[in-house]
């Protein structure tokens, strides 16, 4: 049992929390198109409450659907008919032992007419956001009073629904933040023009909400640093925070960023654990109310140290709870090494950006909590998994836990596959945390691992498998260029798999996809002069990468003095000491090269597929062998394949077995 500060109860106003862990608000796209609570949403939050958090903050919830929506579908609470759904949600959260808090939100300028029924977004000023590219309408006094009333009415509905607390979303550049920030508030009236007048709107909302919720705790989430030129910095927010405390706010939730700086709100993989805590600490020193810290808090040790150092009073976990809802219970039980570690890969954010429901690269149940556990098969059966990358390891674990006698083959002498290739480039070592977690899971499972083995179809048939999961990854595409077979030419993928050493250079990387870009950066990090040649235009560099990480990667490549990028180039031939190119401006160029790394695509499929099928063996293909994609697709594909197979072909003896873990 863990008796650190993290697990001491906490008094938030009149509310007692069982520990100091709060689930950060996270949009899920699980609401109905009308903004109602759905059964899927209830199951999602119930699972996280049961995981042991002290309080669940329900995602940003619209206070006025006429012009406040930030996305569709967005959870809403701007009408009494929405209250019963919230009441069911609150009951489910409270049944798991956590307190329920609702985050109230109006998007202001950070939305589009398509989202708000063709209307023009409203904001303090007409200043256009480069992200949303629509000049908002400046709010008049009537708009301002209407929105203040909407916040108060939504808070009142939240109270009727039984919520224990309310949080105002004043962070990330939404309407409350827009009034507070000199960057977006360019008014010169009662609502802007000076430090004090920029405070007027958030303070009016705080007063109106407090008048409706009485003693219920009120939390204000703010961006302590907007990290944009002309925006709020920590030197401003340490002066603002005491005004909120004085207005009766019970706690401050310290985040960072605005829409234009989403990279400091849902930070990509390279950002260090707990990097925002020094900002939270400065806010805490400016007020006497509790402060909640958030941002890449991934381990119980990081969380507890932040509390003990006095940086913060409460810890908010966002993505860590998507990845592993049982994070608090595992930390409390002292088995932190069993926590599935979020890598900040932002596959979850990418899904939302593509209008999909919430999901997690590592946790296929995220957003699918209504799925019954897989259960255990009734009769003994064999399963074979070929390929020990993320999809293969996940499939093997699920099959073994379901009772299949499972053999996992990997042709290399180590498990990891694509996880190794993804983790090796600079700043991506968090992926090793996930690889190591999977290795621990495999070693404590019943899976039989056969390393250094590439079985034939007949070897596999000898297992008499009920199911074969083929997770062999993509195969390398030979460089179909004159000179592609020369000794100094190698696959970029082999470089990130440590099969090829990077020499002193000069190095030419052919291919501007994610792997090509990452290998160019890796080679430069080792001191080599690198020329990165892309057949596509500059704006398409690493185009399949996750958007927030991609922006960061491309910026780093462009700023690296050791890297030259040649976009829209045609590769004519590789020679023993150079590469001949035809450039976009029609000139020819000979680029010196001691080594050439090719990243010109890889191919799906495997000859094993038809061989196994001709032997009448059931084969499910997952991961890059099926479609070149990301870790999330491989792991989620493993879950779907195992689930489908069990549903169709195997009788389950213990449906709903509560001891089953995924
Ligand atoms: C999928 C997703 C949805 C989010 N939605 C919200 C939201 O509705 N309201 C909000 O204030 N922050 C939102 N955030 C930001 C998180 O609350 C949190 O501040 C951020 O993810 C950093 O914390 P973490 O590293 O623990 O995830 C969201 C983050 C993610 C990953
Ligand atoms: S998808 Fe990636 S970033 Fe998002 S919660 Fe899962 S592991 Fe973390």
């Amino acid at each position: 049992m863990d008796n650190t500060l993290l697990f001491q109860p906490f008094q938030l106003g009149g509310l007692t929390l069982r520990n100091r862990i709060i689930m950060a608000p996270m949009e899920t796209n699980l609401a109905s198109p009308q903004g109602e609570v759905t059964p899927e949403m209830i199951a999602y939050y119930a699972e996280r409450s049961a995981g042991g958090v002290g309080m669940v903050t329900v995602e940003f919830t619209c206070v006025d659907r006429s012009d406040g929506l930030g996305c569709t579908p967005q959870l809403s609470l701007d009408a009494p008919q929405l209250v019963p759904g919230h009441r069911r949600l609150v009951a489910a959260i409270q049944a798991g032992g956590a307190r329920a808090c609702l985050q109230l939100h109006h998007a202001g300028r950070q939305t589009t007419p398509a989202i708000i029924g063709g209307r023009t977004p409203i904001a303090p000023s007409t200043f256009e956001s480069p992200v949303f590219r629509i000049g908002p309408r400046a709010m008049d006094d009537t708009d301002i009073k209407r929105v203040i009333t909407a916040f108060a009415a939504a808070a009142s509905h939240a109270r009727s629904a039984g919520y224990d607390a309310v949080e105002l979303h004043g962070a990330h550049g939404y309407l409350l933040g827009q009034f507070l920030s000199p960057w977006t508030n360019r008014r010169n009236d009662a609502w802007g023009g000076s430090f004090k007048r920029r405070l007027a709107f958030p303070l009016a909302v705080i007063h109106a909400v407090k008048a409706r919720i009485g003693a219920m705790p009120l939390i204000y989430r703010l961006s302590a640093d907007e990290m944009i030129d002309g925006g709020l910095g920590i030197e401003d927010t340490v002066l603002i925070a005491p005004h909120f405390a004085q207005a009766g706010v019970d706690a401050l939730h310290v985040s960072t960023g605005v829409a234009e700086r989403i990279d400091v709100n849902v930070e990509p993989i390279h950002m260090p654990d707990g990097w925002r805590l020094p900002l939270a600490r400065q806010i805490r020193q400016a007020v006497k109310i509790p402060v909640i810290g958030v941002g890449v808090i991934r381990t119980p040790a990081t969380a507890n140290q932040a509390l003990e150092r006095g940086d913060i009073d409460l810890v908010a976990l966002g993505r860590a709870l998507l990845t592993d809802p049982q994070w608090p219970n595992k930390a409390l039980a002292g088995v932190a090494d069993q926590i599935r570690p979020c890598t900040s890969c932002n596959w979850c954010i990418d899904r939302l950006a593509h209008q999909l429901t919430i999901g997690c690269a590592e946790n296929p149940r995220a957003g699918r909590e209504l799925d019954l556990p897989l259960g255990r098969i009734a009769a003994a059966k064999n399963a074979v998994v070929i390929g020990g990358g993320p999809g293969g390891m996940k499939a093997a674990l699920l099959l073994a836990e379901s009772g299949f006698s499972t053999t996992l083959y990997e042709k290399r002498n180590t498990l990891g596959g694509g996880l190794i290739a993804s983790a090796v480039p600079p700043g991506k070592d968090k992926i090793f945390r996930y690889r190591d977690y999977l290795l621990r899971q495999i070693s404590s499972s019943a899976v039989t691992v056969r390393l250094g083995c590439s079985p034939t179809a007949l070897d596999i048939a000898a297992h008499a498998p009920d199911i074969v999961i083929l997770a062999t990854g993509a195969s390398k595409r030979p460089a179909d260029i004159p000179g592609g077979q020369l000794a100094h030419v190698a696959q970029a993928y082999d470089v990130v798999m440590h099969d090829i050493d990077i020499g002193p250079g000069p190095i030419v990387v052919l291919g501007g996809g994610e792997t090509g870009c990452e290998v160019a950066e890796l080679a430069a990090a080792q001191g080599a002069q690198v020329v990165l040649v892309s057949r596509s235009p500059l704006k398409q560099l690493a185009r399949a990468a996750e958007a927030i990480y991609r922006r960061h990667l491309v910026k780093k490549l462009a700023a690296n003095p050791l890297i030259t990028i040649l976009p829209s180039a045609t590769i004519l031939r590789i020679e023993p000491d150079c590469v001949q190119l035809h450039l976009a401006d029609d000139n020819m160029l000979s680029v010196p090269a001691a080594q050439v790394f090719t990243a010109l695509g890889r191919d799906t499929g495997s000859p094993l597929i038809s061989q196994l099928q001709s032997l009448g063996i059931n084969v499910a293909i997952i991961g890059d062998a099926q479609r070149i994609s990301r870790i999330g697709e491989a792991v989620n594909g493993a879950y779907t394949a195992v689930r489908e197979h069990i549903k169709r072909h195997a009788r389950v003896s213990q449906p709903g077995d509560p001891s089953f873990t995924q």
Side-chain angles (χ1 to χ4, degrees), residues 161-183:
Y163 282 101
D164 299 296
V166 165
E167 176 170 290
L168 291 174
H169 196 347
H172 309 159
Y174 291 113
L175 187 64
L176 285 158
Q178 287 159 32
F179 271 93
L180 203 57
S181 173
W183 186 55

Side-chain angles (χ1 to χ4, degrees), residues 452-475:
C453 281
S454 295
T456 63
L458 288 177
D459 296 333
I460 296 166
H463 287 271
D466 191 54
I467 172 83
V468 172
I469 305 266
L470 193 118
T472 45
S475 53

Side-chain angles (χ1 to χ4, degrees), residues 257-277:
V258 290
E260 290 76 3
R261 289 302 310 273
I262 191 167
D263 58 317
V264 293
N265 169 12
V266 276
E267 50 276 89
I269 191 162
H270 70 283
M271 292 298 275
D273 287 25
W275 70 276
R276 304 191 214 178
L277 290 169

Side-chain angles (χ1 to χ4, degrees), residues 534 566-570 581-589:
S534 173
L566 297 177
S568 305
T570 308
L581 301 173
H582 180 186
L583 299 182
D585 62 7
D586 231 15
N587 282 319
M588 303 296 171
L589 184 70

